[in-house]
Structures are given as C-alpha cells and as structure tokens.
Amino acid sequence: MNTDQRGVDESRFRDALRGLPARVWIISLGILVNRVGNFLPVFIVLYLTERGYSAGAAGLVLGVAGLGNVLGSAFGGYLADRIGRRWTIVLSAVTTAGLTAVVPFLGPFPIITAVVGLIGVTSQVYRPAAAAALLDSVRTSQQRLAAFAVFRFAMNVGAALGGVIGGVLASTSYVELFVGNAVACLLFGVVVAVLLRDAPRQQTDPDDADSPADTAVGYRRALADRRLVRFLLMTVVGEFVYIQSTVGLPLHVTEVGLSARDFGLLIGLNGLVVLALELPITGAVSRYRPEYVLAIGNLLIGAGLALTGLMTGMVLLSVTVLIWTLGEMMSSSVAAAYLGSLAPPRLVGRYQGLYGVAYTAGTGTGPLIGGALYAIGPWTLWAVVAAAGLLAAQLCLPRRGAA
C-alpha cells in the first residue's frame, strides 16, 4: 500500500476516534474506574498467605475464582441479550461490590472460597455486556476498532494505576483494600446506571427470539457459526501462549539468575509500551484485513515468548518482550472488533460471552499446562509455545474458499 493510501487510512481511524459516540466514552470511563479498584484478583493470594493459609490453599481459591470467571462470562452474555447491556453491568457491579466488601470479615476457609468463587462469577458478568454496548454504539469497521482501542486504553490505564494504589492499600490494611475495591465497583455501576442508556433493540425475525424455557438456544445458534468457532479456538490457544508471560517468563528469569525485580522491570516495559503505542499501532493496522492482522499478531506473540528460552540477559529478554508486546498491540483491539463484525444483532451478547469463556479458559489452563511443561523441561514449554503460536495464527486465517 502506498504512502498516500496509508495516510488516508490512518486519518480515517483518527476521524473515527474523534467521532465516537458518547456511549463509548461512558463505558470506557466506567471500566477505567472499575480497573483502578480491581484489587482482589491481584492481592487475594497475598491476603490468604498472610492469614496463615498455605500456597496450595490460595491456589485452590484462585482455581475456584477462575471457574467462576468462565461461568460469569457465559451468564453475562445471556443477560446482555435478555435484560439489556445497562442493567447487566449494574447487576454485575453491585453484586461484586457487596461480595468483595465482606471478604476481609470472613472466617472459615470454605466460606472464603465460596465467596471468592461467587466474585469470580459476578465480576465477569459485565464484560460481554460492556463489549455489546460498544458494538451497539458504532456502525462502521473503523468505529468498531476505534471503540475497542479506547476501551482497552482505559483498561490498561486503570490496571496500571490500580497496581500502584493497591500496593499502598495492602501495606496499610486489607480491609481498606477490599472496601476500596467494592467502592470502585459501585462507582462503575453508578456511572453506567446514571449515564448509559441501552440502544433501541433492532427488530428481527421471530424465529431469532429464544425461548425463556431454553436459555441455551442462543449459544447453540452462535456455535453453529464456523467462523466464530475458529475464532474461539484461536482465543484459547492464543491466551495459553500469552499467559506464559506470567508463567514461563518468571521461571526462566529465575533460572538464568535474574531477580524478581528484573521480572517486574520486564513486565513494566510491556505495560509502558502498550500505554504509549497501542492506539497508534491500532490505527496503523486498521487498513488491513483483520484475519491477517490477527495471524501476524499471534505469530509475534508466539515467537517472542518462544525466544525467551534462548535469552539470558536483560537486554535480549527486553527485545523478546518488545516482540510479543507488538503482537499484543496489533491483535487485541482488532480481535474484539472482528468478533463484533461476526455477531448478528440478537446474539451480540452471546458471542461476547463465548469470547469471555474462551479467554478465561485459555488464561485459566495456561498456567497449569505451562507449569507442568516447564517441570518436564524448559525447552518442552518453549517448543509447545512456538507450535501453539503457529496454530493460533493458522486459525486466524480464512478457510480456503471462504470469502
């Protein structure tokens, strides 16, 4: 593509950013507030171990929460299509706030496990609804991409601020930490309840309406879409690869004699680059067919992480971080926008719910599989990561003969 055409496409993306409707900014503001206070998933292990529970017990709680995430994504997709985006988000925010606020006052371990598991469910219910609300607000492919780019930017800023604030609160009081989390959830709900309005429902064929007696019918219809199934498989495999940045990478850092501080610097590099460059990179790739952008992004993530096993110093490890970070920036917003282009109006929430299930399945099983492979031998993990990156890239490509 020539330079003039590239400039036109990037100008269109900037115009799409400037022309985003207010609903996109409302959702993004809400998610920023929510992510700033999203302390529990990050600090629950430290909280439990400081209370005298074993690492194994803390891992069990995380596992239950992870299962809750999968269920919450599926349930949230259903609710988004049945009761609307706005009230699904508010329900998620209010219930998560109430449950999170009581965590530091719980006694018996089984009760802690049950409540954190419920938080795993309720804290994910909003995600399909939020994505569906973005899609309801835009009409063109450029607007879809711009909307999800802004949404991800808000999430990343919130996560960065939340890590710092959470560390300060945890050093003072875990009661303040979890109550702060609850307050952030409530503020998220208030922002959405007061400012957001659901888009008018589109009229569809009566056969598209699912029976209240059969709540799974929408998911069965969604899973009949072969493009969606390939996308979901790509997501599971791709997230298994990406999550090795928090499993294989720290294990390798320790093995080559580097410190936890060095690992923190590498992850900090990833976060800094994403905040600085993801929006312009999303604009730069917006002119290309999304399937190919996703394929290249997955190749870069797989290659960057697989190359970790060859590196022993911070400079070379930083190069690998930049490689997989580039893949992350290329593919993340594009993946969400591409999924939005696949979903029929009546099933937007279901498609987003299935995406959440695939995402949490990949990130949930990735640490278990990655840790087991590393225990067999580090090169076993890195070889599987390379192969999985290739598989994820292949699943992104359109099937031969497809339009």
Side-chain angles (χ1 to χ4, degrees):
M1 184 175 289
N2 61 43
T3 303
D4 290 342
Q5 184 60 47
R6 183 184 305 117
V8 168
D9 288 324
E10 292 181 5
S11 176
R12 286 175 179 169
F13 180 77
R14 290 193 296 271
D15 290 341
L17 278 174
R18 287 192 290 266
L20 287 174
R23 298 176 81 248
V24 172
W25 300 103
I26 291 168
I27 292 290
S28 298
L29 171 63
I31 200 64
L32 172 63
V33 172
N34 189 53
R35 294 287 287 187
V36 166
N38 191 34
F39 305 134
L40 185 140
V42 179
F43 291 95
I44 188 65
V45 170
L46 291 176
Y47 169 70
L48 291 171
T49 53
E50 285 197 15
R51 284 193 56 175
Y53 294 107
S54 67
L60 173 63
V61 172
L62 279 183
V64 172
L67 176 61
N69 290 165
V70 175
L71 297 175
S73 295
F75 187 50
Y78 168 73
L79 287 179
D81 287 336
R82 293 296 292 180
I83 69 173
R85 296 27 166 159
R86 179 191 183 198
W87 293 116
T88 299
I89 296 171
V90 172
L91 176 65
S92 174
V94 171
T95 54
T96 302
L99 290 168
T100 303
V102 304
V103 168
F105 305 105
L106 299 175
F109 181 75
I111 295 179
I112 295 174
T113 304
V115 171
V116 173
L118 285 174
I119 293 170
V121 175
T122 61
S123 65
Q124 294 300 304
V125 164
Y126 83 89
R127 293 179 70 98
L134 293 181
L135 292 168
D136 293 341
S137 309
V138 296
R139 294 291 176 264
T140 68
S141 59
Q142 287 283 358
Q143 283 186 321
R144 277 196 300 269
L145 192 55
F148 281 105
V150 169
F151 184 74
R152 263 189 56 84
F153 182 77
M155 289 185 71
N156 289 328
V157 170
L161 293 174
V164 175
I165 296 171
V168 173
L169 291 176
S171 66
T172 304
S173 166
Y174 277 105
V175 173
E176 293 178 5
L177 181 82
F178 292 125
V179 170
N181 191 333
V183 169
C185 287
L186 278 178
L187 286 175
F188 180 31
V190 168
V191 167
V192 171
V194 173
L195 300 179
L196 186 69
R197 294 294 179 269
D198 276 327
R201 287 204 170 202
Q202 299 187 28
Q203 295 296 320
T204 57
D205 190 288
D207 290 339
D208 284 343
D210 44 320
S211 166
D214 185 5
T215 59
V217 66
Y219 280 119
R220 289 202 300 271
R221 294 194 60 177
L223 290 171
D225 184 342
R226 293 185 179 181
R227 293 180 302 169
L228 173 64
V229 172
R230 285 177 68 88
F231 178 86
L232 296 176
L233 291 174
M234 178 275 292
T235 300
V236 173
V237 176
E239 290 305 320
F240 159 77
V241 173
Y242 182 79
I243 203 66
Q244 301 314 315
S245 61
T246 65
V247 181
L249 177 57
L251 291 172
H252 178 76
V253 164
T254 300
E255 182 177 318
V256 298
L258 299 173
S259 66
R261 175 179 175 275
D262 294 321
F263 171 67
L265 290 173
L266 293 172
I267 295 301
L269 174 64
N270 163 257
L272 181 63
V273 172
V274 167
L275 285 176
L277 298 179
E278 183 166 313
L279 275 174
I281 285 177
T282 301
V285 301
S286 65
R287 60 187 180 274
Y288 299 112
R289 184 167 175 172
E291 294 95 325
Y292 298 126
V293 174
L294 290 173
I296 294 171
N298 276 284
L299 279 176
L300 289 172
I301 294 171
L305 284 165
L307 287 171
T308 298
L310 292 173
M311 309 306 172
T312 58
M314 281 294 287
V315 173
L316 292 177
L317 282 170
S318 297
V319 172
T320 67
V321 169
L322 292 175
I323 293 171
W324 57 258
T325 300
L326 176 60
E328 175 190 1
M329 293 187 294
M330 287 180 62
S331 59
S332 295
S333 296
V334 172
Y338 173 68
L339 177 63
S341 72
L342 298 181
R346 285 282 296 178
L347 297 177
V348 171
R350 306 304 209 292
Y351 273 57
Q352 293 295 332
L354 287 169
Y355 181 35
V357 168
Y359 178 90
T360 51
T363 56
T365 60
L368 299 174
I369 298 172
L373 291 173
Y374 198 91
I376 295 171
W379 278 107
T380 305
L381 172 62
W382 303 125
V384 170
V385 164
L390 288 171
L391 174 59
Q394 194 277 329
L395 287 169
C396 296
L397 298 173
R399 290 179 297 115
R400 187 169 298 178

